[in-house]
Amino acid sequence: MTGTATEISRGASVSLIVQKFGGTSVGTVDRIRNAAARALATQRAGHQVVVIVSAMAGETNRLLALASELSPLPDAREVDALASTGEQVSAALMALAIQAQGGKARSLLGHQLGIITDSAYTKARIKAIDAQRLHDELADGTIAVVAGFQGVDEAGNITTLGRGGSDTSAVAVAAAVGAACEIFTDVDGVYTTDPNICPTAKKIERISYEEMLELASLGAKVLQIRSVEVAMKYGVPVHVRSSFSEAPGTWVVGEEQSLERVTVTGVALDRNESRVMLVGVDDRPGIVAQAFTALSRENISVDMIIQSPSAHTTPAGPDGAVSRKTDVTFTVTKADLARTQQVMESMRVVVGAREVRYEEDIVKVSIVGLGMRSHAGVAARMFELLAAENINIEAISTSEIKISCLVATRYAELAVRALHDGFGLGTPA
Ligand code: ASP
Ligand code: MG
C-alpha cells in the first residue's frame, strides 16, 4: 500500500498494534505519561506500536467555540485548519513523553503520513494512507505517534473526519498496516445498556460489527460510527478498553467470532430524535417522494417513517370523487428539526398538507441483537414488556437486527430498564 493507492488495502503484519488514546486518556500531562508507558510496555512485549491520539479533553470544543465567536457559520476549510491543531499538540506531547521514558518516538500529522481524504471539510473520508511511510518509521523501533482526526485532500488542504474521528483514523491506519486496533477510552468497554440508567448493565465481551454499528447509530458514543464501518469493511479487530485499568474491555469483531448467541445483545436509548407529522397529505403517487426528496436535498436524514390513512379524508362530493388523505409521520434528529421545519413549510402547499406538527418530547428505545434473525417473537416480547409498564408505543421501526420504539420522554429510563432486564441482559441482583 503506497501513497498513490486510492484505497486502504488490508495489509498483513502479525505483530503490529495500533493504540488509540482518546481525549480523556491524554487530558493531562500525567495521563499522557501513562499512555506513553502503556505504548512502551506493548513495544517491550514484542510489538511494533503505532499510537493515534485525540486532542486533549475539551480542546476541540474550545477551538470550535473560538471559531463560532467570530462567525455563526465559519468557513469550513478554516474550521478544519483550526480544529486539527488539537491533535497536533497531543501527538507532539505523546512523542515527548515516550522519549522521556527512554523510547524512540516521532509525531506524524495527517499530511506527513499521507492520510489522503476527500475534500468534505469537517466530515472528510479517508481515501488512502501511506502504509510504507509508517512501516519505514517503525522499522528502527520508533513508536509512530499519529495525530488522529485529520488528513489532507488531494490539493493539500487540511481536513478533519467529523467529531470523534480519531477512532476512524485509528481503525483506518490499522487496516492499512494489517494491525489490530486498541481504543483506549474513559469507559471500560461496551455495555448492554447505559449503566447510569440501568445499574444491572454489564460489559459485553465480544460484539459483532453489525451490532456495534446499530448501537453506535443509536447514540452509544464509545466509537465513531464511521470507524466501525471501516473496521467491518477491512475486518479489523477492535478492542475498546479503559486506559485506567488492565482489565480487558469489549472486542468488536466479525460475526463468526462474536460467539455469544443471545437474542438481544443491547438496549439503546436515543434522545436525539424528534417527530414530524404531516397531517392530511394528498394520497397520490409521488407526494411522499416529493417531501422526502426535499429533505434529502437538504442532507437531512429521516429515520422512522409511518404512513397511515388520515381522519381528514374528504367524503365523496356530488361527483363521487373522494379526496383521499394520508398522515405521514417521520423522525429526524433534534439537530435537524429547525431545518426540517423550513423544508416542510415550503412543501406544505405542494403536498397538500392541512397541518404539520412537530414533537420533541419523545425518545427512541431500541433492542439490538444478531440473534433476532433466527428467533421469532422478539418484537412481540418487546411490546409486551413495554405494555406491562403501561408505556405507549408511538411508532415502531425494525431492521434485521434491531427493533426501535418511539415513546414519550418521561418513560425513557423505565423503558430501558424494562427491556434490559426483561430480555435477561442484567446481572442477577
Ligand atoms: N478531537 C476530535 C473530537 O473531539 C476527534 C476525536 O477526539 O476523536 O471530536
Ligand atoms: Mg471519542
Side-chain angles (χ1 to χ4, degrees), residues 20 23 54-55 60 87 149 162-167:
K20 181 248 167 179
S54 288
T60 309
E87 274 71 12
F149 186 48
R163 297 309 305 270
S166 51
D167 292 338

Side-chain angles (χ1 to χ4, degrees), residues 114-183:
I115 300 186
I116 308 297
T117 69
D118 62 20
S119 302
Y121 295 119
T122 75
K123 47 175 181 294
R125 287 180 170 231
I126 297 178
K127 289 162 62 179
I129 293 177
D130 188 348
Q132 195 49 53
R133 173 74 206 269
L134 204 50
H135 285 302
D136 293 347
E137 290 285 343
L138 298 169
D140 66 344
T142 297
I143 293 181
V145 183
V146 177
F149 186 48
Q150 55 174 267
V152 277
D153 70 4
E154 309 272 3
N157 299 299
I158 296 172
T159 55
T160 67
L161 311 179
R163 297 309 305 270
S166 51
D167 292 338
T168 301
S169 308
V171 173
V173 165
V177 297
C181 184
E182 286 187 296
I183 304 273

Side-chain angles (χ1 to χ4, degrees), residues 237-291:
V238 177
H239 188 188
V240 182
R241 53 190 304 195
S242 165
S243 47
F244 310 117
S245 101
E246 289 303 317
T250 301
W251 280 93
V252 188
V253 291
E255 197 176 310
E256 330 69 60
Q257 291 124 0
S258 65
L259 73 198
E260 281 168 84
R261 279 283 154 260
V262 290
T263 316
V264 174
T265 303
V267 178
L269 173 63
D270 185 351
R271 297 181 184 273
N272 287 322
E273 295 217 358
S274 53
R275 181 175 54 182
V276 180
M277 193 173 168
L278 295 170
V279 183
V281 173
D282 292 340
D283 196 2
R284 291 190 275 113
I287 290 294
V288 175
Q290 280 183 30

Side-chain angles (χ1 to χ4, degrees), residues 167-229:
D167 292 338
T168 301
S169 308
V171 173
V173 165
V177 297
C181 184
E182 286 187 296
I183 304 273
F184 288 96
T185 178
D186 52 358
V187 294
D188 57 3
V190 180
Y191 275 71
T192 47
T193 196
D194 181 349
N196 296 314
I197 296 179
C198 192
T200 59
K202 58 175 196 261
K203 190 166 73 192
I204 300 169
E205 263 173 57
R206 298 169 89 81
I207 187 168
S208 68
Y209 298 123
E210 290 87 343
E211 290 165 315
M212 193 61 227
L213 262 185
E214 294 283 12
L215 289 176
S217 327
L218 292 167
K221 284 188 210 68
V222 262
L223 287 176
Q224 196 201 33
I225 294 173
R226 184 82 193 111
S227 73
V228 186
E229 289 169 356

